[in-house]
Amino acid sequence: MAAHAGGLTAAPPAVRISGLTRAYGDRIVLDSLDLDIAPGEFVALLGQSGSGKSTLLRALAGLDHDVAGGGEIQVPERVSVVFQDSRLLPWQRVLDNVVLGLDGPDAVRRGRDGLAEVGLAGRERAWPNQLSGGEQQRVALARSLVREPQLLLADEPFGALDALTRIRMHALLRRLCDRHRPAVLLVTHDVDEAIVLADRVLVLSGGRIAAERVIDLEPPRDSADPRFAEVRSFLLAALGVTGEEDS
């Protein structure tokens, strides 16, 4: 895993955010927010609905230019985004979706290799509507990673999947990130998902990072482990959730 903020590392951060502010009318969503993400670090971002998680992700993706307050955003040159909806073009076959916009004479080979990485070798000529929801998200992952991003932004990519498919996608995403080594920012409402996947978990509240926790549990991370439960309790408390309430 990459060194975290506060750890020893010679490499500059993959992402640096300084004083980022975003307001909608009189409502300030991001309030002079500061954040660094190290190269290869997997960061999960939690927060209540409306806390600004997706707003932050959109700003990093270059999809929201209406930031104010002298904020600064530094991101790598190659950035990919995975959304909750796979956003596949229904009139394009699977391989064509993966290589859409990809330059170079080896684009098709890279697309095929990407599909093989996500377990979809042999489905290159399928139409998106012939795939399950989980398979469509695998295609979306292949499309993002085939471009070898230095930063992968994921906005609740497994939120629409059933529980068993989510577990399988967690394992797949972790393997792919270990192989390709992008910095990752995952936006999620699922505390357990954040703990299972991330090197570091942040809680966004009041427009700023209100809490963070480095996850130093060895894989596979088991929710029955007392240390997992302790981290979960810490994050739920930071989210304002008490007792047995879900986040």
Side-chain angles (χ1 to χ4, degrees):
M1 302 296 181
H4 306 286
L8 297 177
T9 177
V15 173
R16 169 153 287 171
I17 302 171
S18 178
L20 180 62
T21 298
R22 179 63 163 101
Y24 294 94
D26 294 332
R27 186 170 73 93
I28 297 176
V29 178
L30 301 177
D31 185 8
S32 299
L33 185 142
D34 299 323
L35 174 64
D36 285 359
I37 302 176
E41 184 181 17
F42 196 127
V43 174
L45 184 65
L46 297 167
Q48 297 184 3
S49 296
S51 62
K53 302 185 300 300
S54 293
T55 298
L56 174 58
L57 187 142
R58 287 175 56 83
L60 289 173
L63 301 175
D64 183 354
H65 304 287
D66 295 327
V67 293
E72 180 182 1
I73 302 175
Q74 297 178 17
V75 297
E77 180 180 355
R78 300 192 306 275
V79 180
S80 289
V81 186
V82 181
F83 298 96
Q84 184 178 107
D85 181 346
S86 64
R87 304 199 177 186
L88 303 182
L89 300 179
W91 57 88
Q92 296 272 20
R93 295 184 188 271
V94 164
L95 180 59
D96 295 326
N97 268 281
V98 172
V99 302
L100 184 68
L102 194 64
D103 296 323
D106 61 344
V108 171
R109 177 192 59 78
R110 291 163 62 188
R112 290 182 181 276
D113 290 347
L115 285 170
E117 274 195 317
V118 299
L120 290 177
R123 304 302 303 277
E124 294 87 354
R125 298 293 297 166
W127 297 103
N129 64 7
Q130 295 175 313
L131 304 180
S132 68
E135 288 172 332
Q136 290 179 20
Q137 283 301 83
R138 286 172 183 261
V139 175
L141 278 176
R143 180 178 56 193
S144 292
L145 292 173
V146 78
R147 289 157 174 78
E148 293 295 340
Q150 298 157 297
L151 173 63
L152 178 65
L153 302 171
D155 193 0
E156 299 191 66
F158 312 132
L161 303 179
D162 64 82
L164 182 58
T165 302
R166 284 168 69 97
I167 292 171
R168 291 171 175 162
M169 292 298 290
H170 290 165
L172 174 64
L173 179 59
R174 187 71 263 185
R175 287 198 306 272
L176 292 172
C177 289
D178 287 344
R179 183 178 303 160
H180 291 269
R181 304 304 300 161
V184 181
L185 181 64
L186 168 73
V187 167
T188 180
H189 281 95
D190 188 328
V191 173
D192 285 5
E193 178 173 85
I195 299 170
V196 165
L197 288 173
D199 302 325
R200 180 164 53 118
V201 181
L202 311 176
V203 176
L204 186 61
S205 179
R208 298 185 178 185
I209 305 302
E212 70 175 283
R213 183 69 176 259
V214 173
I215 310 300
D216 56 2
L217 304 175
E218 291 298 321
R221 296 172 179 175
D222 185 355
S223 60
D225 185 334
R227 295 171 299 171
F228 190 109
E230 188 275 325
V231 173
R232 187 175 192 272
S233 294
F234 170 85
L235 293 172
L236 287 173
L239 289 163
V241 179
T242 59
E244 296 301 317
E245 294 177 79
D246 198 352
S247 63

